Amino acid sequence: MQNYANMAPLGGFGCARKSLVAVNVLYICVSIILLGAAGYGLAANSISSFGVVIAILTVSVLLFLIAVVGIVAAVKHHQVMLFFYMVILFVLFIVQFSVACACLSIGDDYMRTLMGKGYSLASKETKIQIEENWGCCGFYGMDEKRNLVPIENGTLVQFDTLHSPSNCSAVSLLSDKLFLFTRKFR
């Protein structure tokens, strides 16, 4: 007859501890990948906005710190740290869920308007870089009526096309290219 009193139970905190450590090691790997992606984007000049790089670096450092707190709390069986770890994860879930709902609620016309406002507020160098990377000429091409976009105070702003009209004849519209690109992620 076997002695069941000395056998370890299936599951319990031992299994949860190993699972938490494994998930948090995965989070650490993701944060290192994000750090590498930000560094590569900065080194290769593929990210034109320094704010995007700062945002990626901030998210990766926060993810790393949260994962370290989760590992320490799981290994040391520290109830208070586990509580705050779960609260932080819950807050992150609510933020991610809210952002996802907001992104899905944006209509196609509003998305084009937002992209147009962003393009109209960009510097001339950024516009040239965008037009060269996407192979286009202006946000709406050479259509003067569609190149008028309202900004915050209600005034209309004319998009300036940075290429001559002869270069724009066979080039597709940036607005259509960006719209189709963003539709891939919806």
Side-chain angles (χ1 to χ4, degrees), residues 1-7:
M1 182 177 255
Q2 291 182 344
N3 185 3
Y4 292 106
N6 293 334
M7 293 182 68

Side-chain angles (χ1 to χ4, degrees), residues 78-162:
H78 197 276
Q79 294 292 329
V80 176
M81 285 179 76
L82 281 172
F83 173 76
F84 283 114
Y85 174 73
M86 292 300 167
V87 168
I88 290 170
L89 287 183
F90 179 72
V91 169
L92 283 177
F93 170 76
I94 295 297
V95 169
Q96 287 177 346
F97 185 74
S98 302
V99 169
C101 289
C103 289
L104 290 174
S105 68
I106 293 177
D108 295 343
D109 293 334
Y110 187 66
M111 188 176 4
R112 283 183 192 261
T113 303
L114 283 177
M115 288 188 291
K117 284 182 183 179
Y119 184 81
S120 68
L121 297 174
S123 67
K124 190 169 188 167
E125 293 80 23
T126 303
K127 288 179 184 179
I128 290 172
Q129 184 181 9
I130 290 170
E131 290 179 9
E132 288 174 356
N133 288 342
W134 287 82
C136 58
C137 187
F139 193 73
Y140 287 116
M142 296 306 292
D143 187 0
E144 296 295 326
K145 292 178 185 172
R146 289 178 58 180
N147 275 333
L148 293 172
V149 172
I151 56 174
E152 287 80 24
N153 59 5
T155 60
L156 294 177
V157 175
Q158 173 71 38
F159 284 140
D160 54 337
T161 52
L162 303 172

